[in-house]
Amino acid sequence: MANQQTQSVADQHTKLAKELQDVKLYIDGKFVDAEDNGTFENISPFTNETMNNIASGQAADIDKAVKAAHKAFKGEWGKMKQSERLDYVYKIGDLIEEHVEEIALLEALDTGLPLSQTKKQVSRSANNFRFYADTVKSQMYGETYQVDDEFVNYTVRTPVGVAGLITPWNAPFMLETWKIAPALATGNTVVLKPAEWSPLTANRMAEIIDQAGLPDGVFNIVHGFGETAGDALVKHKDVKLISFTGETTTGSTIMKNGADTLKRFSMELGGKSPIIVFSDADLDRALDAATWGVFSFNGERCTANSRLYLHEDIAEDFVAKLKQRVENIRVGDPLDESTQVGPLIKTEHYENVKSYIEIAKEEGCEVVSGHIPEELSRGNYVAPTMLLNAENDMRVVQEEIFGPVIAVMTFKDEEEVIEKANDVEYGLAGYVWTNDIKRGHRVAHAVESGMLWVNAQNVRDLRTPFGGSKNSGIGREGGYYAFEFYTEQKIIHVAIGDHHIPQFGI
């Protein structure tokens, strides 16, 4: 019976994969092959079989896309009234909303993320376009500085030009919209280089934008590898900004390679975020948050609370309950609505996460893992895992694993846990659980990270700045903070009287 069930589930994935068309590049309003006709295979994380072939862009394709984007910026798009431009942005959001089920299925098929979670992500993606259109209308304005009866000085914001967007493979569709929506709403044109491991929904984005009728060249996608397509995008002289979400070392390389053309950068990089639970916290809610925060999205999330610090008075009971959760998490087919953890996106990533679990054993951790059903053996499955008896100097505590793995440690007092929480290279997010609101504020102020949540899971408010400190990133996006990156601020000085001008040569 188990073998029959295994075959039927695999057959469903194979059937859906056969319905997929090969993916082309989208340049200057047309779906085209790569200049050299190169392709690469897109592999299913569930069956590890080839699903379809993806056009592999190179420097020539990037150059073609940038030229199209530059022409559109100097032409129709750049001259378009704001209200008309924002109508297109609203329309993209509406079209995404019409296709939520379809896009969510593609995302689950491509990434291994559970379908129940990709549906929520895609729904949020539609709202991203509406939000940024609203924000540009209501908050993208200048300031006026009057100087007596001599001057009126005022600022205006103008789009920068061609925006190079490089997006990751975890939650790819939603994270693409976080960049595309503000870039277009503020008047820039776009060349998107999506992660090569998750091309399906990026292609669907191109189809939706094409359907929305944006002028040719405003939005372009070049699929391909970071070493070729990504590198060419970063180095191109006509690309004025690079927004990158991904791994820290890659971010550093991108900044080096873009320095010669004096690009502006927004970098949302790696994380090793702490969740701190004091003895007076609402422990049931803290348990819910800790479990969701590291095991949802298959653990492949930059803001995952992968370091759990428990006050020693409640540690034993909390760990016992967390063990129960780990054992009960439903590991399964990502296309099954009841699945909570699916396969990791790629065999290489699976091997990397598994290697960290072996390192944890070597470093002296007790490893507690959930169960992977036998019928899932073809996929890249790592069971939800706890690393007990962890110490702050261990590699599994210091380095980003990016999988469903949580390291558990204890602390005696506030001062000690702040020191431990800050003793890593990363500083993206942090979570504090306590019913002492004064302590909650103190710890949130003291933890070195770009974002802190007190008595909450990672609930995103689009109006607020998103980004990290230390090795977790540079810059902030979100809300009107995106304007600092996606627009140029210009000051205009207008003389309204006859101010003094020194007379030379008289």
Side-chain angles (χ1 to χ4, degrees):
M1 181 67 181
N3 286 339
Q4 290 177 349
Q5 184 180 12
T6 303
Q7 189 61 42
S8 65
V9 172
D11 286 348
Q12 181 190 12
H13 281 258
T14 302
K15 178 178 181 294
L16 288 169
K18 285 181 178 178
E19 294 173 0
L20 296 173
Q21 295 182 347
D22 288 346
V23 169
K24 296 178 181 289
L25 313 180
Y26 183 69
I27 298 175
D28 204 14
K30 299 179 182 64
F31 290 93
V32 297
D33 294 321
E35 288 287 298
D36 66 357
N37 293 312
T39 62
F40 60 91
E41 293 180 332
N42 186 29
I43 308 297
S44 163
F46 184 79
T47 65
N48 275 303
E49 296 174 343
T50 299
M51 295 192 292
N52 61 345
N53 293 301
I54 315 299
S56 184
Q58 306 290 326
D61 303 288
I62 288 289
D63 186 57
K64 193 163 82 170
V66 173
K67 285 178 177 175
H70 183 71
K71 181 180 177 182
F73 180 72
K74 293 297 184 180
E76 183 178 358
W77 188 252
K79 297 173 183 176
M80 188 178 291
K81 290 183 178 180
Q82 184 190 87
S83 59
E84 186 179 351
R85 186 175 73 234
L86 296 181
D87 283 344
Y88 282 110
V89 178
Y90 284 120
K91 189 173 183 181
I92 295 168
D94 292 343
L95 288 170
I96 291 172
E97 191 168 64
E98 290 176 16
H99 298 281
V100 167
E101 298 285 334
E102 172 203 349
I103 298 168
L105 179 62
L106 288 173
E107 189 98 310
L109 191 68
D110 208 18
T111 64
L113 293 172
L115 185 60
S116 60
Q117 294 169 34
T118 61
K119 283 182 179 178
K120 293 176 182 177
Q121 290 175 355
V122 176
S123 294
R124 286 173 59 190
S125 300
N127 288 333
N128 287 341
F129 281 92
R130 295 174 183 137
F131 169 82
Y132 277 107
D134 288 343
T135 303
V136 165
K137 279 199 300 187
S138 64
Q139 296 189 49
M140 198 171 83
Y141 48 78
E143 298 171 320
T144 303
Y145 307 85
Q146 186 169 349
V147 183
D148 300 324
D149 59 354
E150 293 186 345
F151 276 94
V152 172
N153 306 320
Y154 65 94
T155 62
V156 294
R157 289 192 176 275
T158 58
V160 176
V162 179
L165 310 180
I166 304 176
T167 52
W169 46 259
N170 64 313
F173 192 80
M174 183 179 67
L175 295 179
E176 285 156 10
T177 66
W178 274 15
K179 300 180 187 296
I180 297 168
L184 293 180
T186 51
N188 298 282
T189 55
V190 168
V191 178
L192 171 67
K193 208 301 283 183
E196 59 268 24
W197 288 359
S198 55
L200 292 185
T201 53
N203 181 64
R204 193 69 187 91
M205 176 67 75
E207 292 173 340
I208 284 171
I209 288 178
D210 190 71
Q211 185 180 350
L214 270 71
D216 293 349
V218 172
F219 178 79
N220 308 270
I221 289 186
V222 179
H223 297 277
F225 296 92
E227 299 85 352
T228 49
D231 184 61
L233 182 63
V234 168
K235 291 178 178 176
H236 201 290
K237 64 181 179 61
D238 288 331
V239 175
K240 300 304 180 185
L241 58 84
I242 294 289
S243 177
F244 171 74
T245 299
E247 187 265 336
T248 298
T249 303
T250 305
S252 176
T253 301
I254 286 172
M255 293 187 70
K256 291 173 185 174
N257 290 344
D260 287 344
T261 50
L262 294 177
K263 287 178 172 55
R264 59 175 66 185
F265 295 100
S266 176
M267 294 278 157
E268 197 270 278
L269 306 175
K272 194 71 178 178
S273 302
I275 179 168
I276 301 167
V277 184
F278 287 92
S279 58
D280 66 339
D282 184 331
L283 298 181
D284 289 335
R285 288 182 60 78
L287 179 64
D288 289 340
T291 307
W292 167 262
V294 74
F295 298 126
S296 60
F297 307 111
N298 300 345
E300 299 164 323
R301 58 190 303 172
C302 53
T303 55
N305 48 249
S306 52
R307 293 184 292 147
L308 172 60
Y309 294 99
L310 299 170
H311 191 275
E312 58 186 16
D313 289 350
I314 51 98
E316 184 177 353
D317 183 53
F318 198 97
V319 166
K321 290 180 178 178
L322 185 57
K323 280 183 180 179
Q324 281 188 315
R325 295 292 187 94
V326 164
E327 292 167 0
N328 291 334
I329 289 172
R330 291 188 291 278
V331 178
D333 174 14
L335 304 187
D336 184 337
E337 292 269 10
S338 67
T339 293
Q340 295 174 318
V341 170
L344 301 184
I345 192 166
K346 197 78 168 177
T347 303
E348 294 96 308
H349 183 52
Y350 162 84
E351 295 290 352
N352 187 55
V353 173
K354 292 289 284 187
S355 73
Y356 272 107
I357 295 173
E358 292 305 311
I359 290 170
K361 294 175 183 177
E362 294 168 7
E363 290 185 316
C365 290
E366 176 190 348
V367 176
V368 178
S369 290
H371 174 64
I372 300 174
E374 183 182 347
E375 62 265 22
L376 303 178
S377 59
R378 292 172 65 184
N380 305 321
Y381 282 91
V382 173
T385 300
M386 299 169 59
L387 307 179
L388 303 179
N389 306 321
E391 298 290 341
N392 234 54
D393 60 352
M394 292 179 176
R395 284 185 62 191
V396 291
V397 176
Q398 292 291 318
E399 299 175 16
E400 186 175 35
I401 299 174
F402 218 64
V405 180
I406 188 168
V408 183
M409 292 157 281
T410 61
F411 67 94
K412 297 181 187 299
D413 56 40
E414 184 179 320
E415 182 179 2
E416 178 193 6
V417 76
I418 289 170
E419 182 179 351
K420 288 182 174 180
N422 290 338
D423 184 27
V424 292
E425 293 182 346
Y426 297 104
L428 185 58
Y431 308 86
V432 182
W433 284 84
T434 176
N435 278 327
D436 181 340
I437 196 62
K438 291 181 180 178
R439 177 163 56 196
H441 281 289
R442 283 197 308 270
V443 176
H445 280 249
V447 173
E448 297 167 351
S449 67
M451 301 174 288
L452 262 295
W453 282 265
V454 179
N455 295 332
Q457 58 144 321
N458 178 357
V459 177
R460 181 82 176 92
D461 182 342
L462 283 174
R463 298 171 299 176
T464 60
F466 186 96
S469 61
K470 298 162 72 171
N471 282 10
S472 288
I474 295 173
R476 295 292 183 270
E477 296 189 38
Y480 70 84
Y481 300 94
F483 299 159
E484 294 299 318
F485 180 64
Y486 288 106
T487 68
E488 197 77 68
Q489 191 173 50
K490 181 187 296 185
I491 176 71
I492 298 173
H493 305 270
V494 180
I496 59 174
D498 294 332
H499 63 288
H500 174 67
I501 302 176
Q503 294 181 318
F504 270 30
I506 293 178

